[in-house]
Amino acid sequence: MESTKQMAVIVQKFGGTSVGNPDKIKAVAQRVMNVAKEGNSMVVVLSAMSGETNKFVELAHAMQEQPDPREFDMLLSTGEQVTIALFAMAVKAAGMDVISLLGDQVKIITDASHTKARIKSIDTELIEKYHKEGKIVVVAGFQGVTPDQHITTLGRGGSDTTAVALAAALKADVCEIFTDVDGVYTTDPNMCKSARKIDKISYDEMLELASLGAKVLDIRSVSFAKRYKVPIHVRSTFTDTEGTRVVEEDELMESLPVSGVTYNKNEARITISKVPDTPGIAAKIFTPISAADIVVDVIIQNTREGGWTDMTFTVPLTDYDQAMGIVEKVCADIGAESFVGDPDIAKISIVGVGMRNHSAIASTMFQVLAKEGINISLISTSEIKVSCVIAEKYTELAVRALHDAFELDKATPTEEH
Ligand code: ADP
Ligand code: ASP
Ligand code: MG
């Protein structure tokens, strides 16, 4: 109904490729103004221009081998300041009222985990004041501030999280994530041509897809959305087509045993060999790693004869060097024989809520990989996903083979789950 469209609070987030040059910023501004003119209160969240944040990472490493985390955030947060200011100028040039705000001006308060800070609270007062004045509010994505005034960033891809967190705080009617693809697909459409757009997906499935590498939505944005029931619409910046709605599971019409295939090349594997197999050994290995705020993912322990064991696990690639440093010390402490790391791995996963009621999904996955001659080095499963760690060079082959084997290009709903 037209009347419900009026006076809605709408959060729109545009990613790096959508604001990659001045013309694109002008086009985005036009798009936002069209919705604002219908009487809606707009909050726009922008990323840095595509490539900018990567450039800053490189610059930082030219100064310091392991850049100081506080200063790293100080640098990385600047890309978004550029785009919000340019966007505001484009809107003003077109005669509408707008104001750009940084994370600390909005009071997006985070913890102090520089480079991967978590949002603790958001003050909506300032945004609401500007909305009452009829202004479009444009907020820098990806950044926040600690209670004692240090600038933080939320982790790569974090502008999605800024948008959803703002939508939750403002109780927005919808959070639209505009990007360079027109929705969430059964797998990365830039890797697999037969990938199919999913019309609706549950928060839980989206959470798994995002956590397993589908970077179209940042994982923490999906957690926020699920917790605060924020309706998300992922759609294209460049067309008006309907994208993908992220919804509650009971709103789903179709339920395929496998709804998506993901890959993640941003992890590394570490193996500690010949560890004395005594109680408390896992705690000794993983306590210092978690104290360094490194999130360990898949863990496998192999028991050897003679009271020894091997421990293999994966860590984010960005934490790999630090994790190897910690492991070196731990190995000396616990008397392990050796350790080895491999950053050239990929984690391939299949995800689907329908998996709960279908046996043999995991074994089909193993058979498909075996048929392609791909060796699996680690496996992990949950109720709605199966992940295999393989050599990075086989990523595309594995993704395409699994997408074909589970017939994800076909949209045929199966029985109820
Ligand atoms: P933005 O800069 O707009 O935040 P991202 O590059 O972070 O955009 O995310 C969009 C990209 O996510 C797409 O270009 C696509 O290659 C990738 N992607 C990976 N998996 C998926 C998926 N399952 N569905 C859609 N896109 C995906
Ligand atoms: N500019 C940041 C990045 O490249 C945040 C984002 O784009 O979401 O990671
Ligand atoms: Mg992104």
Side-chain angles (χ1 to χ4, degrees):
M1 259 182 354
E2 202 51 36
S3 59
T4 54
K5 269 179 83 184
Q6 300 293 308
M7 302 306 294
V9 176
I10 298 178
V11 177
Q12 295 192 325
K13 178 259 171 179
F14 294 87
T17 44
S18 309
V19 292
N21 62 42
D23 285 339
K24 286 186 174 173
I25 295 176
K26 283 184 195 165
V28 164
Q30 194 53 56
R31 191 166 188 147
V32 171
M33 287 187 290
N34 292 345
V35 185
K37 280 177 191 154
E38 290 170 4
N40 301 300
S41 296
M42 305 300 295
V43 176
V44 180
V45 174
L46 300 182
S47 292
M49 290 181 178
S50 50
E52 284 302 291
T53 313
N54 288 344
K55 243 185 252 168
F56 297 142
V57 173
E58 242 176 70
L59 277 173
H61 282 100
M63 293 299 132
Q64 233 186 335
E65 201 180 330
Q66 285 220 17
D68 177 81
R70 182 192 181 278
E71 303 310 329
F72 194 66
D73 277 353
M74 191 62 110
L75 177 64
L76 260 65
S77 63
T78 59
E80 276 69 12
Q81 182 162 357
V82 173
T83 46
I84 58 167
L86 293 175
F87 172 91
M89 290 173 199
V91 172
K92 291 210 168 183
M96 282 190 83
D97 207 1
V98 57
I99 184 150
S100 63
L101 296 172
L102 293 171
D104 63 330
Q105 291 174 302
V106 179
K107 298 203 186 73
I108 298 179
I109 306 297
T110 72
D111 63 14
S113 304
H114 283 289
T115 76
K116 48 188 166 191
R118 291 175 196 85
I119 296 176
K120 294 288 174 205
S121 66
I122 292 184
D123 195 339
T124 55
E125 209 176 303
L126 192 61
I127 294 179
E128 282 161 352
K129 169 179 155 319
Y130 287 128
H131 275 166
K132 283 199 188 98
E133 295 172 11
K135 289 183 169 64
I136 293 171
V137 177
V138 55
V139 179
F142 176 56
Q143 57 178 256
V145 65
T146 65
D148 45 2
Q149 303 298 311
H150 300 289
I151 303 295
T152 52
T153 64
L154 309 179
R156 299 304 305 273
S159 297
D160 296 337
T161 303
T162 306
V164 177
L166 279 169
L170 291 159
K171 302 191 174 54
D173 296 83
V174 64
C175 181
E176 296 183 303
I177 304 289
F178 287 90
T179 185
D180 58 359
V181 288
D182 56 7
V184 178
Y185 279 71
T186 47
T187 192
D188 186 347
N190 288 320
M191 178 173 280
C192 181
K193 278 208 180 70
S194 56
R196 180 176 56 84
K197 189 170 82 187
I198 303 169
D199 294 333
K200 280 185 182 177
I201 189 164
S202 69
Y203 289 115
D204 283 331
E205 271 177 313
M206 194 62 236
L207 213 50
E208 288 283 7
L209 289 179
S211 78
L212 297 168
K215 69 167 183 163
V216 62
L217 278 180
D218 180 38
I219 168 85
R220 280 196 246 159
S221 71
V222 190
S223 312
F224 258 103
K226 182 180 168 186
R227 190 162 356 129
Y228 297 102
K229 300 199 181 346
V230 178
I232 297 188
H233 184 191
V234 181
R235 51 189 306 202
S236 164
T237 305
F238 312 111
T239 69
D240 281 326
T241 46
E242 174 77 13
T244 301
R245 305 269 176 179
V246 188
V247 297
E248 301 275 3
E249 193 173 325
D250 57 15
E251 291 177 50
L252 290 179
M253 299 292 289
E254 69 177 278
S255 115
L256 301 167
V258 176
S259 52
V261 180
T262 60
Y263 63 93
N264 184 357
K265 297 181 184 178
N266 296 319
E267 287 189 31
R269 186 183 57 213
I270 299 176
T271 300
I272 306 179
S273 301
K274 225 171 164 199
V275 180
D277 195 5
T278 53
I281 209 73
K284 280 195 182 127
I285 294 173
F286 293 113
T287 305
I289 294 177
S290 70
D293 214 5
I294 297 173
V295 180
V296 171
D297 184 26
V298 187
I299 302 177
I300 283 196
Q301 185 177 357
N302 286 337
T303 306
R304 293 187 181 203
E305 274 184 29
W308 304 100
T309 184
D310 298 333
M311 196 75 86
T312 301
F313 55 95
T314 61
V315 294
L317 200 51
T318 44
D319 296 328
Y320 176 59
D321 290 340
Q322 199 189 353
M324 287 291 274
I326 295 170
V327 165
E328 189 174 1
K329 280 202 208 91
V330 169
C331 277
D333 288 351
I334 62 177
E337 187 185 73
S338 61
F339 69 99
V340 61
D342 183 1
D344 298 321
I345 59 158
K347 187 172 66 182
I348 310 292
S349 311
I350 53 174
V351 175
V353 281
M355 211 180 273
R356 293 190 189 117
N357 296 329
H358 289 78
S359 53
I361 295 288
S363 56
T364 305
M365 179 178 192
F366 306 150
Q367 282 159 22
V368 170
L369 295 178
K371 208 170 133 223
E372 299 295 337
I374 301 170
N375 190 42
I376 303 171
S377 65
L378 292 169
I379 298 169
S380 81
T381 61
S382 81
E383 212 188 1
I384 64 168
K385 74 118 202 271
V386 186
S387 298
C388 295
V389 172
I390 63 170
E392 187 179 346
K393 62 182 175 187
Y394 295 123
T395 307
E396 297 201 24
L397 178 64
V399 166
R400 291 193 187 131
L402 290 166
H403 196 269
D404 281 355
F406 288 106
E407 302 188 330
L408 297 187
D409 52 329
K410 301 195 182 90
T412 41
T414 56
E415 72 270 30
E416 301 266 301
H417 65 278

